[in-house]
Each structure stands twice: as C-alpha cells, then as structure tokens.
Amino acid sequence: MRALTLVADRKLELRELPAPPPPGAGEVQIRVKAIALNHIDVWGWRGMAFAKRKLPLVVGAEATGEIAMVGAGATGIKIGDQVVMYGAITCGTCKACREGRDNLCENVSGVMGFHIDGFARDLLNMPVRLVIPVPTGIRARDAACAPIAFATVQHMLFDNAKLEPGETVLVHAGGSGIGTAAITMAKSIGATVITTVGDDAKTEKAKALGADHVINYRTERFEGLVRKITARKGVDVVFEHVGAETFNGSLLCLRRGGRLVTCGATSGPSTSLNLMQLFQQQYRIIGSFGASIRNIRESLAKMAAGMLPVIDTEVALADFERGLARLESRQVFGKIVVTF
Ligand SMILES: [Zn+2]
C-alpha cells in the first residue's frame, strides 16, 4: 500500500509499505479516502526541535475513510461505512476520557501525523472507539474537515468561549481553514462577526461567507477599527490563532470581561502581557487544543444539516507537499483537501 512519509525536514517520500494485518479485537481497518491539511502538518513538515518523534513518520492528521474490515467485538459498524477518525490515540480509561474530555487524556500517545504515524496511507487499523460514523450524504472532501477544522472551532467557540446569539466575535485570519469555519458557525447562531484577512481579494469572499465586517490587517490597524465598529465597547469574544503578530491587539479589542480563545501561533509563539490590563479588564484567556469526540459528532451533524466547509483546493496524494507550501504561504481561502 502507499504511505506518504516524512523522512527529513521538508522531505516527503511516497513509499510502498506492507498492508496492515487484519484488525485485532476492538479494532477496525479503514481505507483512507481524503485528508485535510492543517497548520500542524506545516509545523511537522518544517520540523520542530522539541517535538518527541521518530522519522520516518506517516503524515496526515485529519482524515476520512471507509471501513474495510471489522475486528472481533468491534460493534456498531460494518464494512463500507464512511467514518472519520479521532486524530490522537487516547487511553479511553482515564478520568478525562471517561468524562468525554478526550483532548485532555492523561495518557495520550501522541497526535497522529505529528508525533506518531498518521493517515496518509491507503489502509490503517484503529480502535473502533476512536472512529466516528459519517451521516449519509456528506462527501468525503467535506467529512475530512470534521475531526480537526470543524471540531476545533466547535470546541473553541461553544465549549470554551461560550459564544452566544447576539454577541460579537472577532475572528482572526478569516480566510484560513478554521477561520472560515468560525465565521460560518458564529453566524449560524446569530452572532455578529468581525474578521481580519491578509489581502483584499479575501474581503469579498469573507463577506460572502457571512462576515459582517472585514478588516485587512496588513493595511489597517484592526484594534482601532474593531473599537470603532463596536462603538468603543469591544467584542465579547476573540477567536485567536495568529499569535505574536495579533495577540496584544486582540486583547485591546475585548470588552471588559470578554473572552479570548486561542488554538494557534502561526506568526510566532511568544508575546508579553500587561497583567494590570488582564485583571482590571477581567479578561478570560482560554487555551484550546483539539476537540472531543462529541465535538466531531456535533460537526458532522452540522454538515448533515447543510453547513459545509469552504474548500480552497483539492490535490492528489502525490501533490501533498504542494498543498503544504500553499498553506504555509497563507494564500488560501478555506481548506486544502488531499484525495486518494
Ligand atoms: Zn485517557
């Protein structure tokens, strides 16, 4: 079978590997159909000195597939079912796992496609408890965006920031995969959305997606405009993932008691904080990484109801690296999907 492996920093090889053995007890074998790209793939591809992992590594962190074989005792699923997979091997038994807070598992053995082998291969075996059925009628390219893009946004906006109808949210990098999902999800509950984009060509696209106000952060100071748009009150929620370039400006955009939720630092990981501002303004800053299996089910339900991800481009497995370069360049509007 084919497996796309990272053999050195910025060096991928499409290798032929033996197919996995038949699935063990409680496992299923999945034939991968599509992979969606995320910034974690770019970090992994560039190389991260502090990440504990061994090369070669099969890449691919977010995917959908079809059940090819069912192991003993793996119930509730049959050959041919379309599924998405949870992208980390959790233990399933610790307190966090038992309470459905899968992304806080105390014994997680790593993020697939980053720390341990991922989904960019024709076949793999997974525990059935980490496999989520896809409702009928959802195309593979859309379902592939459920486990990370949609579920991360679902977790950030609703579990963590507790965004409510009628509130105002600032969504950074509205053209990114999670930015487009955040605009769509926030609008769907009746929030007002202000978003930032890096070039004017994305402005119209963000408006077409439902954004009420779009700011080009390269030509305008977004902090000032957000205060103007909100009549100096500030926004209720900031959806952060840009990091160093925007973080302090984001805090200035918050109303007193506002919530900032962040899941990324694409422009750099370090910043300084004014602690007086933090406590006097009673900000809540919430770190968010990944999502729960429940969030993936919620995301698939949204897709089944017609809320689809924005797809920037579809590329073949052999063009995975071209997809990563496009993502790294930030010249995207929506998700890049790799089809098998
Ligand atoms: Zn656990």
Side-chain angles (χ1 to χ4, degrees), residues 90-94 97 105-107:
T90 58
C91 74
T93 56
C94 72
C97 279
C105 172
E106 294 159 27
N107 311 302

